[in-house]
Amino acid sequence: MGHPFPIREIARQAGLSEATVDRVLNGRGGVRESTAYEVRRAIADLDRQRTQVRLVGRTFMCDIVMQAPERFSTAVRTALEAELPALHPAVVRCRFHFRETGPAGGLTDTLDRIARRGSQGVILKAPDVPEVVAAVSRLTDAGVPVVTLATDLPASTRVAYVGIDDRAAGATAAYLMGQWLGDRPGNVLTSLSSGFFRNEEEREMGFRGVMRARHPARALVEIAEGQGLDATQYDLVRAALERDPGIRAVYSMGGGNIATLRAFADLGRPCDVFVAHDLDQDNTRLLRERRLSVVLHHDLRQDLREACRHVMRAHGALPPAGPARPSAIQVVTPHNMPPDTATV
């Protein structure tokens, strides 16, 4: 397993002992395959971040913990690693803990391991449930600042939230939906990946509030718990379309949009307006193909830069700042896509 990194650096990146890393690198056996995978992943992470590792300055080891579909967690990783060199003279090193779905216990176990092992900060995207809120408190007690990303845990001890004003985003989606549907008949399918993510809950409230006020006769049909995954999303959408022949538009708050469009196509149903969130790889392609009407987007690189700065401030490395402001909501059509989406 060739690499240019000292065993101590690999062990720190992987959160393992130097002896364990040495056994893996030298093929001495007695190590689980999952542990060997952690070592290989640590080397890959170090290799991607080697430009940042060479910078001189204070080092912050941060853990990125996310429950999200792979397409979004990949976009976050790419955006963060693109921002790392711009944080000079500080050096931010990252360990990634990603999963697509699962019970809260898996997340809390990860957070508790970080609290025991130590970290300069945690950037967290997680459902707003009591178990996760309690785990954040344990991190705070262990001296590890937590910054929530994309979805908030307002009742927790996190030091800051970075992301958009989701209620305003939902209201924006309703405004666009009303403008494009006009007087045409049709119901709107609202799709949440999970009712436990605060950001989606607030988007839904913003959307529903404006639709009720401005378009009270238009029915909203809600589906949830697809987790943003294509397999589960397809079944939920298809069942909703079969139950309600009046659905003609979609507001997707949580992803799985390829599966949603496939369900419409398989039933021969038109989708007149489709409003989605985030320019991940799937949505970028769908928007270019004119299969989405619009994507409500925010600059992930800016969000992650601010998250890292919040961690630095928590350690006194940067001066205090005023209250965090929400990220700008970008209304993206096929005609004004950000230049960096070519690489998404």
Side-chain angles (χ1 to χ4, degrees), residues 156-275:
S156 73
T157 55
R158 55 94 171 123
V159 298
Y161 160 71
V162 291
I164 59 174
D165 179 336
D166 286 292
R167 197 176 292 247
T172 301
Y175 173 82
L176 295 170
M177 185 72 70
Q179 293 290 309
W180 283 329
L181 282 178
D183 295 329
R184 286 177 291 173
N187 301 333
V188 179
L189 182 70
T190 63
S191 172
L192 296 84
S193 70
S194 173
F196 294 107
F197 284 103
R198 171 74 60 163
N199 64 330
E200 295 183 25
E201 180 184 56
E202 293 190 349
R203 289 172 187 176
E204 194 274 338
M205 288 189 289
F207 184 81
R208 189 174 293 274
V210 171
M211 292 297 290
R212 282 176 173 169
R214 298 178 63 90
H215 311 284
R218 199 175 294 281
L220 305 182
V221 181
E222 180 181 310
I223 60 171
E225 305 309 320
Q227 305 301 324
L229 305 178
D230 286 342
T232 48
Q233 182 72 7
Y234 178 86
D235 292 338
L236 289 170
V237 174
R238 182 167 182 135
L241 293 175
E242 289 172 341
R243 288 193 304 268
D244 190 333
I247 295 173
R248 299 288 297 271
V250 175
Y251 175 38
S252 172
M253 291 160 262
N257 299 326
I258 289 176
T260 296
L261 287 165
R262 181 159 54 89
F264 272 87
D266 287 353
L267 293 174
R269 297 274 291 276
C271 184
D272 296 333
V273 181
F274 198 131
V275 181

Side-chain angles (χ1 to χ4, degrees), residues 19-61:
T20 298
V21 172
D22 184 73
R23 284 200 300 274
V24 172
L25 295 178
N26 291 287
R28 283 200 282 269
V31 180
R32 293 192 301 271
E33 176 56 32
S34 60
T35 302
Y37 171 78
E38 291 296 326
V39 172
R40 293 193 295 269
R41 189 174 69 173
I43 292 171
D45 288 343
L46 286 169
D47 189 63
R48 281 194 306 271
Q49 299 171 37
R50 68 167 64 203
T51 299
Q52 176 71 3
V53 170
R54 286 197 297 264
L55 295 176
V56 177
R58 186 168 175 181
T59 299
F60 296 87
M61 178 62 79

Side-chain angles (χ1 to χ4, degrees), residues 17-132:
S17 70
E18 293 180 32
T20 298
V21 172
D22 184 73
R23 284 200 300 274
V24 172
L25 295 178
N26 291 287
R28 283 200 282 269
V31 180
R32 293 192 301 271
E33 176 56 32
S34 60
T35 302
Y37 171 78
E38 291 296 326
V39 172
R40 293 193 295 269
R41 189 174 69 173
I43 292 171
D45 288 343
L46 286 169
D47 189 63
R48 281 194 306 271
Q49 299 171 37
R50 68 167 64 203
T51 299
Q52 176 71 3
V53 170
R54 286 197 297 264
L55 295 176
V56 177
R58 186 168 175 181
T59 299
F60 296 87
M61 178 62 79
C62 293
D63 290 88
I64 319 304
V65 182
M66 296 184 61
Q67 179 170 311
E70 183 181 1
R71 58 183 173 271
F72 186 72
S73 57
T74 298
V76 167
R77 181 198 288 263
T78 301
L80 176 58
E81 292 181 341
E83 278 299 306
L84 293 182
L87 297 170
H88 178 79
V91 177
V92 176
R93 300 269 299 282
C94 301
R95 295 182 290 233
F96 298 95
H97 314 268
F98 294 160
R99 70 175 197 169
E100 291 196 301
T101 187
L107 274 176
T108 59
D109 287 348
T110 298
L111 296 175
D112 286 340
R113 281 197 301 271
I114 293 169
R116 291 192 298 270
R117 181 180 61 199
S119 177
Q120 274 70 56
V122 169
I123 299 173
L124 176 65
K125 180 184 182 296
D128 186 6
V129 296
E131 302 97 306
V132 173

